[in-house]
């Protein structure tokens, strides 16, 4: 009977392979536990918001944007630092024009987080947002406005929220 030739890796190579697999497993588990893997996967921000008409003390009709729950986020164009993602706010007028929003005043919070409210208003010829209720601003035109929220890190549209100004 002819001899069969056995083919297998040597004992030394099998020990080296096991050590390499253990090192890879350790690196993956460590990166999952300290958040590195989550940042590498670039999950979009989770933000749940509610938009309503807000009447200022001067009688102007503006938009309030309330952050119900979700991640702490950084608003684009601000000096905020504690959020997990950077988001951009835009406004779509009743006529369909898209208006990018900026800020005119400094933000008092380090991130936009659950429980915080933003106010979207027109001052002069520009549209802005602030985390404090503005005074001396112009009312927004009556009609249905839409607020769009984009995640700048992942480049995805998070929300389009309609609000009616009476």
């Amino acid at each position: 009977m002819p001899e069969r030739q056995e083919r297998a890796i040597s004992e030394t190579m099998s020990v080296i392979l096991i050590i390499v697999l253990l090192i890879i497993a350790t690196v993956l588990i460590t990166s999952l536990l300290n958040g590195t893997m989550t940042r590498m996967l670039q999950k979009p921000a989770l933000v749940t918001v509610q938009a309503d008409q807000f009447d200022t003390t001067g009688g102007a009709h503006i938009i309030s944007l309330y952050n119900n729950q979700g991640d702490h986020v950084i608003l684009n164009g601000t000096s905020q630092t504690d959020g997990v993602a950077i988001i951009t706010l835009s406004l779509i007028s009743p006529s369909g024009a898209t208006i990018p929003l900026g800020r005119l005043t400094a933000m008092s919070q380090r991130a936009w987080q659950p429980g915080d409210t933003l106010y979207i208003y027109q001052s002069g010829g520009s549209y802005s947002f602030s985390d404090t209720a503005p005074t001396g601003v112009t009312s927004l035109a009556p009609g249905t406005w839409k607020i769009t929220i984009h995640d700048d890190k992942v480049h995805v549209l998070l929300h389009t929220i309609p609000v009616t100004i009476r």
Side-chain angles (χ1 to χ4, degrees):
M1 189 162 162
E3 282 190 35
R4 295 180 74 194
Q5 214 175 11
E6 290 186 25
R7 294 184 183 180
I9 59 173
S10 69
E11 187 177 322
T12 306
M13 286 303 290
S14 64
V15 169
I16 291 172
L17 182 61
I18 289 172
I19 291 172
V20 168
L21 290 175
L22 283 173
I23 291 172
I24 291 171
T26 304
V27 168
L28 286 175
I29 290 171
T30 303
S31 66
L32 283 172
L33 291 177
N34 71 13
T36 304
M37 188 66 74
T38 305
R39 285 190 294 273
M40 286 175 42
L41 293 176
Q42 294 187 351
K43 76 171 185 79
L46 173 63
V47 179
T48 307
V49 296
Q50 176 183 347
D52 290 311
Q53 175 179 311
F54 179 82
D55 298 326
T56 65
T57 55
H61 305 303
I62 63 173
I63 297 172
S64 68
L65 195 59
Y66 178 74
N67 189 341
N68 288 325
Q69 62 185 14
D71 295 328
H72 296 211
V73 292
I74 300 169
L75 298 165
N76 194 5
T78 67
S79 59
Q80 294 176 327
T81 57
D82 286 345
V84 298
I86 299 173
I87 63 169
T88 299
L89 301 173
S90 298
L91 195 59
I92 301 174
S93 69
S95 65
T98 301
I99 305 160
L101 294 174
R103 66 168 175 83
L104 293 178
T105 60
M107 303 297 285
S108 62
Q109 301 291 328
R110 294 180 56 113
W112 191 40
Q113 54 195 350
D116 291 346
T117 301
L118 288 179
Y119 300 95
I120 299 172
Y121 57 92
Q122 180 181 7
S123 180
S126 63
Y127 293 84
S128 304
F129 62 84
S130 174
D131 60 351
T132 57
T135 57
V137 296
T138 308
S139 283
L140 296 173
T144 301
W145 293 76
K146 292 179 186 171
I147 299 106
T148 60
I149 303 173
H150 295 269
D151 187 320
D152 292 353
K153 186 176 181 184
V154 183
H155 304 291
V156 67
L157 175 65
L158 298 175
H159 294 290
T160 300
I161 306 153
V163 61
T164 302
I165 301 295
R166 296 178 234 47

